[in-house]
Amino acid sequence: MDFERPISLEIKKREVSKNQLFLLRKQIKAMRKRIVEKIKSQKDALYPISAALGLIVIWQLSVYLLSIPKFLLPGPILVINEIFARWPLLFQHALVTLYETSVGFGIAVIISIPIAVIIVWSKPVEKMVMPLMVFLQTIPKIGIAALFIVWFGFGYFPKILISFLLAYFPIVIQLITGLRDIEPEVMDLAKSMSASPLQSFIKIRIPNSLPYMFNGLKLGSLLALVGAVVGEFLGSKGGLGYLVIYANDRLNTTLLFADLVVLLLLGKLLFSIVEWAERYLISWHVVMREKEKVMFTT
Amino acid sequence: MAPNREYKWTIGMKRALYPISTTILILFLWQMSIVLFSLPEFILPSPFVVIRAFFSQLNLLFNHALVTLYETIAGLILAIIFSVVISIIIVWSKGVEKTILPLVVFFQTTPKIAIAPLFIVWFGFGYTPKIIISFWVAYFPIAISMITGLRDVEPETIDLTKSMSATTLQTFIKVRIPNSLPHFFSGLKLGGLVAMLGSITGEFVGSDAGLGYLIVMANHNHDVKLLFSVLIALVIMGRTIYALTGWIEKHTISWHVAMRTEEEKFFTA
């Protein structure tokens, strides 16, 4: 009876089930690890939160006990009061910075995708453009910020341009890496199944590039904010960076602190929006990823 | 050996041909657009004018570059000392790690440079606030890389040292520190670039010397020639700092540099 069974089929069957089992097991393992880590991280979150609270208490106490003048170091209670009292002003300036950052970031995303595709598509373009981009990447771009302000004045446009310039490089270079760095075996498989270049591009290269792209986007969103703020430092009529300089000139350190807190929250907001989009769009990657990539910004 | 080197040289030349031709093309377009649209010098000076301005103001640029370089290097050295000490403490003690590391990571993803004006309020217009800003921005990449390097040792290696009854200190010196060095240098290279940006931004906000101060001055006087010259100086300085850290890396951990297949990518402001 064993004799009559087609052997090849059996092997195939077994292999498929084995593969599926392997994948399933891997997924379950990753999920379990994630859940355990989540519980653990909630417990672990107690440490930094209590440390931060402790620092704030020490800050308040030292301001109170050593009677440090307000223009040197305002206490945390004073800063929080200032945030609520000056909320309309802070909100209005935060909107300006948010506008500059998001427009610059949006343009960077729109432009970098076709450029990355062209570079990966054509070898001569890559050879011509890539070294140049790597070189441009090394120019301190906040130095160019001053040039834009001379050219385009104190309005929104130069800041949008700076945000764009800062966000553009990480996004485009990560995208290129993601589109290009594919295991050769996968490409061979696609070829052996006679997939057209377009098909392999859509089905293999683009999905492969998404995790890289989101790394670039995360970094880009932070850098876009830095760009807008530094642009506002150099010359502007509105925005959180302008408010920083305004408060600084008047030695209004309380307003300066309040402004910095709003800026910090804005940065966190932008970062978590991109992170949320990543979790939503490429959940297959986020679930399997073992550890978070650390972003370095200025 | 000799033919190999020659071969490498020609390959390198061929590779350099494309970017060089693009650069020449861009310079040509730059010059052409000035001639065609007759752009005035205070909007966009021609490449020749920029180069001439750079060399004629070399003395001024050099003096201010020295100030920025001093602030950057001092901040960088402070950052190295602090981050090495703190990362060793963090890796040594679990409790400290749990307390400090999340805070470090939290601040890592904030626009740190925006705090620059605060340091100007506290420490005035001299060198100190810029050194502190350089330190503040360079500290994070170095510390986080160093912590990663000290911690992410393959468990098998640790098991091996344990089975050979090495003490914790021995494991630390013989396994963890060598493992951390590549990470440390990658953080240092980024830190060097970022420290320069920190000191420039500090000079933007309030100073009387340095390349950032020159940028602000040129900005106020609409001196685009000077702006371009400062940019050239900044590029040279950035490249020098990067090359310096790369050189130190190459001589300290040649075993790693030789094995590395791919250059890391850094994204800075």
Side-chain angles (χ1 to χ4, degrees), chain A residues 110-127:
Chain A
I110 292 168
I111 289 187
S112 58
I113 290 173
I115 285 189
V117 170
I118 291 169
I119 284 179
V120 172
W121 202 263
S122 137
K123 205 81 194 167
V125 173
E126 184 198 330
K127 274 190 196 159

Side-chain angles (χ1 to χ4, degrees), chain A residues 34-47:
Chain A
R34 222 178 145 70
I35 292 167
V36 167
E37 260 170 18
K38 211 171 183 181
I39 294 167
K40 224 172 122 191
S41 72
Q42 274 168 357
K43 250 192 216 162
D44 282 355
L46 279 177
Y47 287 89

Side-chain angles (χ1 to χ4, degrees), chain A residues 251-286:
Chain A
L251 272 186
N252 190 346
T253 317
T254 321
L255 182 61
L256 185 57
F257 266 93
D259 193 6
L260 288 177
V261 171
V262 175
L263 196 59
L264 194 144
L265 292 178
L266 190 63
K268 283 282 151 195
L269 176 76
L270 287 173
F271 193 75
S272 40
I273 287 174
V274 180
E275 237 178 3
W276 177 82
E278 180 189 37
R279 212 169 293 156
Y280 191 73
L281 288 174
I282 53 165
S283 47
W284 44 269
H285 171 75
V286 176

Side-chain angles (χ1 to χ4, degrees), chain B residues 153-163:
Chain B
V153 179
E154 282 167 45
E156 288 87 1
T157 319
I158 298 290
D159 287 347
L160 180 71
T161 53
K162 259 184 207 156
S163 74

Side-chain angles (χ1 to χ4, degrees), chain A residues 56 97 124 168 171 183 206 249 264:
Chain A
I56 289 174
T97 304
Y168 169 73
I171 299 175
E183 286 166 42
I206 289 182
D249 285 344
L264 194 144

Side-chain angles (χ1 to χ4, degrees), chain A:
Chain A
M1 281 170 282
D2 241 349
F3 211 70
E4 282 160 20
R5 253 191 177 165
I7 297 167
S8 59
L9 199 76
E10 205 200 330
I11 289 173
K12 222 177 179 179
K13 231 170 151 184
R14 222 208 254 144
E15 247 171 27
V16 166
S17 58
K18 224 176 168 182
N19 266 337
Q20 281 174 337
L21 252 179
F22 175 71
L23 264 177
L24 254 175
R25 240 180 236 150
K26 205 173 166 189
Q27 270 174 343
I28 289 171
K29 220 174 166 184
M31 275 165 92
R32 190 187 288 156
K33 203 176 160 193
R34 222 178 145 70
I35 292 167
V36 167
E37 260 170 18
K38 211 171 183 181
I39 294 167
K40 224 172 122 191
S41 72
Q42 274 168 357
K43 250 192 216 162
D44 282 355
L46 279 177
Y47 287 89
I49 289 173
S50 49
L53 284 179
L55 275 179
I56 289 174
V57 168
I58 292 171
W59 175 10
Q60 179 67 47
L61 274 179
S62 58
V63 167
Y64 182 71
L65 290 177
L66 305 174
S67 57
I68 297 172
K70 206 167 69 173
F71 68 89
L72 266 186
L73 186 66
I77 293 172
L78 212 60
V79 171
I80 291 167
N81 273 341
E82 182 81 0
I83 291 176
F84 285 110
R86 298 274 201 128
W87 182 243
L89 179 80
L90 289 167
F91 186 69
Q92 182 197 334
H93 285 282
L95 271 189
V96 172
T97 304
L98 184 64
Y99 168 73
E100 291 159 357
T101 309
S102 47
V103 173
F105 181 64
I107 296 174
V109 174
I110 292 168
I111 289 187
S112 58
I113 290 173
I115 285 189
V117 170
I118 291 169
I119 284 179
V120 172
W121 202 263
S122 137
K123 205 81 194 167
V125 173
E126 184 198 330
K127 274 190 196 159
M128 264 162 63
V129 178
M130 264 312 264
L132 210 71
M133 281 217 295
V134 171
F135 175 73
L136 279 179
Q137 182 19 50
T138 61
I139 296 181
K141 284 173 283 302
I142 55 172
I144 303 179
L147 204 60
F148 288 156
I149 286 176
V150 171
W151 283 342
F152 304 112
F154 282 6
Y156 298 144
F157 184 66
K159 283 98 193 178
I160 291 174
L161 218 55
I162 299 159
S163 288
F164 156 72
L165 201 65
L166 279 180
Y168 169 73
F169 284 100
I171 299 175
V172 82
I173 290 179
Q174 293 284 31
L175 251 177
I176 290 167
T177 317
L179 285 171
R180 213 171 31 189
D181 284 5
I182 293 180
E183 286 166 42
E185 289 85 1
V186 178
M187 286 320 270
D188 286 347
L189 180 70
K191 258 184 211 157
S192 73
M193 294 173 103
S194 70
S196 68
L198 187 71
Q199 274 176 326
S200 61
F201 198 85
I202 291 171
K203 301 259 172 182
I204 297 173
R205 287 195 187 270
I206 289 182
N208 187 65
S209 75
L210 287 177
Y212 290 85
M213 185 183 83
F214 272 102
N215 272 342
L217 287 180
K218 279 192 222 167
L219 193 56
S221 66
L222 292 171
L223 284 177
L225 182 63
V226 170
V229 172
V230 174
E232 286 162 5
F233 279 176
L234 279 168
S236 64
K237 292 177 288 196
L240 291 175
Y242 165 78
L243 204 58
V244 167
I245 298 293
Y246 174 89
N248 193 12
D249 285 344
R250 282 158 189 74
L251 272 186
N252 190 346
T253 317
T254 321
L255 182 61
L256 185 57
F257 266 93
D259 193 6
L260 288 177
V261 171
V262 175
L263 196 59
L264 194 144
L265 292 178
L266 190 63
K268 283 282 151 195
L269 176 76
L270 287 173
F271 193 75
S272 40
I273 287 174
V274 180
E275 237 178 3
W276 177 82
E278 180 189 37
R279 212 169 293 156
Y280 191 73
L281 288 174
I282 53 165
S283 47
W284 44 269
H285 171 75
V286 176
V287 170
M288 299 292 275
R289 181 171 54 194
E290 299 218 316
K291 64 180 164 189
E292 203 82 22
K293 196 175 185 301
V294 185
M295 301 286 149
F296 295 117
T297 58
T298 30

